Amino acid sequence: MKKVAVFPGSFDPITNGHIDIIERCNHLFDKIIIAVAYNPEKKGLFTLEERLEMITNIYGHHKNIIIDSFEGLLVHYAKKVGAKIIIRGLRAISDFEYEFQMALMNRRLDDKIETIYMMPHETYSYVSSRLIKEVFQLNGSVKGLVPPIVEMKLQEKFRKKLNK
Ligand code: PNS
């Protein structure tokens, strides 16, 4: 039986912290599905299509990495795609409470699906999509913290915003 894992998130945008987790998991599973959550209530900086496009630019050529989006409950999506594992990254203690609640709620919803946590390299322990957007918007450098395609898209996005 193939080991399929889903790596869900907002990915608004994907960071090198996410990439670090994906790389660490790559040899552990036969297939990893990077699943971008679509939440119409939560307006991000990038549209769902833009997030998917950036991830496809990075991982589109990997045979065992699938890029997808989902709406609704994560466990329903995981079951639909045949994933028994949910991968989440854990950067610091501050992540723990939210992750703990989410893992237990997901387990209650479907106890055949397990959540596993991966620690990114310490270089990325303070990196979050939220901080990346904030720093970039205030003209700080995010070089080395996001893939080059994300840096490029951030530039385009904020240029467009400034011209509005
Ligand atoms: O990158 P994020 O924002 O930390 O990812 C959170 C995400 C998208 C994984 C989480 O909000 C989620 O699973 N949303 C889908 C809806 C759902 O299943 N909610 C119940 C989770 S306990």
Side-chain angles (χ1 to χ4, degrees):
M1 213 168 77
K2 288 214 175 230
K3 281 185 286 175
V4 181
V6 56
F7 183 41
S10 305
F11 302 109
D12 183 38
I14 190 165
T15 68
N16 283 353
H18 294 123
I19 305 270
D20 183 273
I21 301 282
I22 296 165
E23 297 300 322
R24 280 171 205 284
C25 289
N26 203 4
H27 63 282
L28 300 176
F29 301 99
D30 299 305
K31 187 159 99 180
I32 297 175
I33 304 170
I34 306 175
V36 183
Y38 174 64
N39 181 354
E41 318 263 282
K42 212 168 132 187
K43 205 172 156 2
L45 173 67
F46 291 101
T47 64
L48 177 68
E49 289 69 29
E50 288 169 332
R51 295 176 209 187
L52 289 167
E53 194 189 314
M54 286 184 272
I55 302 172
T56 304
N57 181 284
I58 302 160
Y59 282 117
H61 57 285
H62 281 65
K63 252 188 16 222
N64 59 326
I65 297 179
I66 309 290
I67 299 133
D68 197 8
S69 62
F70 73 100
E71 195 176 351
L73 281 182
L74 172 60
V75 287
H76 289 169
Y77 172 76
K79 190 172 178 187
K80 189 183 90 181
V81 295
K84 292 224 160 41
I85 306 276
I86 294 170
I87 303 164
R88 291 286 291 170
L90 201 58
R91 291 163 299 191
I93 282 289
S94 48
D95 282 342
F96 179 76
E97 207 165 327
Y98 170 59
E99 293 298 334
F100 186 64
Q101 284 177 359
M102 207 156 65
L104 293 191
M105 181 58 86
N106 281 334
R107 188 196 278 167
R108 190 196 137 104
L109 292 167
D110 188 335
D111 73 356
K112 291 191 180 65
I113 298 174
E114 294 293 347
T115 306
I116 64 159
Y117 286 91
M118 301 290 292
M119 263 59 90
H121 192 274
E122 54 270 28
T123 313
Y124 306 117
S125 57
Y126 61 92
V127 176
S128 69
S129 302
R130 186 183 61 79
L131 271 187
I132 292 291
K133 287 180 279 193
E134 187 175 319
V135 169
F136 192 89
Q137 194 168 10
L138 299 171
N139 292 320
S141 168
V142 295
K143 209 169 243 346
L145 303 180
V146 291
I149 179 74
V150 172
E151 225 182 312
M152 209 174 87
K153 294 287 171 188
L154 280 165
Q155 258 155 20
E156 278 176 23
K157 183 66 76 179
F158 285 110
R159 213 181 304 135
K160 265 189 211 152
K161 281 197 158 189
L162 284 176
N163 291 339
K164 265 189 188 167

